[in-house]
Amino acid sequence: MTVPAQVKSPYYNTYGGHPPQTDLLTDRAIVTEAYTVIPKGVLRDIVTSVFPEFTDTRAWVLNRPVAGGPTTFSQVIVEIAPGGGAAKPEPQAGVSSFLFVVGGALTLTLDGEEHVLDEGGFAFVPPNAAWSLKNNESEIVTFHWIRKRYEALDYVPAPKAVVGNEKDIEPGHMPDTDGKWRTTRMLDPQDLAYDFGVNIVTFEPGASIPFAETHVMEHGLYVLEGKAVYRLNDDWVEVEAGDYMALRAFCPQACYAGGPSNFRYLLYKDQNRQITL
């Protein structure tokens, strides 16, 4: 795959290449039983994946269900070159998807209707929907693809498709923060049809999560902008735009936004379901 130059985006989306032989091996990658940190510096050409359903495409797998880590979802960064795509992206029945574009423009055809998702554009694709992806532009398109096997409820209708752009959604302010901590919710958390949520969380410089959140929801966090110091289990970890964190259930978590710009991240969490015993 020949990779064209990428267009500058407000969301971090620069990957690939290869470091020189003079670079030190030391980096910020961390893998524990409570959490994983994948820094942007390890998202190189040599660690890409190729999916057989796609053409002119490469991908970086950020999370897959593994023992000791988050088990409810997969998350992948996908790059599609001009003219590339997939006529049938999802190889498994019963799996729902969430797409979030961080660079370029992606053409999504969903149940016969065409949508063009540019930067900040997103789509929830219900399980067993008929859909396809195509890059009809002259520049590469980069997006996050989150997948989860859907947990149906007998008394709740199947979830509906949702297409939009995060820039068009009014964020909700966290109480007692003067709006310095806010959340953009792209799926309605009160609608029980959706068994996961994807939000964009924004902290202004100096804002924080002032306690160690310890809860049942698993998380995937991709830093879109800025930097912070994140508390993960027993450790304080520095993260910046382009870094990714995968958190298993009950991993304690908190953060301080470091400035000078806002600290923003794309957040996955499983929700709205009883515990299976």
Side-chain angles (χ1 to χ4, degrees):
M1 167 183 170
T2 301
V3 181
Q6 293 155 311
V7 178
K8 184 174 175 57
S9 167
Y11 315 104
Y12 188 91
N13 69 341
T14 303
Y15 319 104
H18 198 73
Q21 292 286 292
T22 53
D23 272 14
L24 294 177
L25 178 61
T26 306
D27 208 324
R28 297 174 292 114
I30 305 170
V31 179
T32 75
E33 290 191 356
Y35 69 90
T36 296
V37 177
I38 300 178
K40 63 183 181 182
V42 305
L43 299 179
R44 302 291 187 172
D45 297 342
I46 199 171
V47 297
T48 55
S49 296
V50 175
F51 297 147
E53 299 85 6
F54 287 77
T55 60
D56 295 319
T57 299
R58 64 178 184 171
W60 290 269
V61 177
L62 300 175
N63 187 69
R64 60 171 289 180
V66 294
T71 61
T72 61
F73 72 105
S74 71
Q75 186 163 349
V76 182
I77 297 171
V78 183
E79 284 187 353
I80 302 179
K88 189 178 179 182
E90 179 51 63
Q92 291 184 266
V95 172
S96 53
S97 288
F98 191 93
L99 313 174
F100 183 82
V101 177
V102 293
L106 179 68
T107 298
L108 163 69
T109 302
L110 178 56
D111 291 329
E113 185 175 353
E114 187 174 288
H115 308 271
V116 178
L117 308 178
D118 57 10
E119 294 169 356
F122 66 86
F124 171 81
V125 181
N128 305 319
W131 60 296
S132 63
L133 297 174
K134 187 77 172 179
N135 181 357
N136 291 323
E137 310 301 321
S138 60
E139 304 291 342
I140 195 170
V141 61
T142 307
F143 61 97
H144 282 251
W145 182 13
I146 297 169
R147 300 169 62 237
K148 182 182 185 296
R149 181 171 293 282
Y150 184 64
E151 299 177 62
L153 296 174
D154 292 340
Y155 53 91
V156 175
K160 296 180 180 179
V162 180
V163 178
N165 193 296
E166 70 98 357
K167 299 170 187 173
D168 299 326
I169 300 173
E170 184 69 25
H173 294 181
M174 294 296 288
D176 304 319
T177 66
D178 295 324
K180 294 180 180 179
W181 173 7
R182 47 193 183 269
T183 302
T184 303
R185 294 177 172 86
M186 292 174 280
L187 297 176
D188 182 0
Q190 301 304 314
D191 189 338
L192 292 181
Y194 300 100
D195 62 354
F196 69 85
V198 182
N199 307 327
I200 292 180
V201 181
T202 301
F203 291 92
E204 294 184 7
S208 69
I209 299 176
F211 69 103
E213 293 187 28
T214 308
H215 52 65
V216 70
M217 284 85 77
E218 295 183 336
H219 280 336
L221 296 88
Y222 175 79
V223 183
L224 297 166
E225 176 187 354
K227 63 180 180 178
V229 181
Y230 231 96
R231 176 78 176 196
L232 299 172
N233 202 17
D234 292 330
D235 308 314
W236 286 101
V237 180
E238 287 187 293
V239 293
E240 62 179 353
D243 293 346
Y244 179 77
M245 294 168 276
L247 280 56
R248 55 158 279 187
F250 301 110
C251 175
Q253 58 199 267
C255 75
Y256 287 96
S261 66
N262 289 343
F263 175 60
R264 306 187 77 215
Y265 56 82
L266 183 72
L267 172 71
Y268 161 90
K269 64 178 179 179
D270 56 314
Q271 60 186 20
N272 294 342
R273 293 297 183 267
Q274 180 56 278
I275 306 304
T276 301
L277 303 176

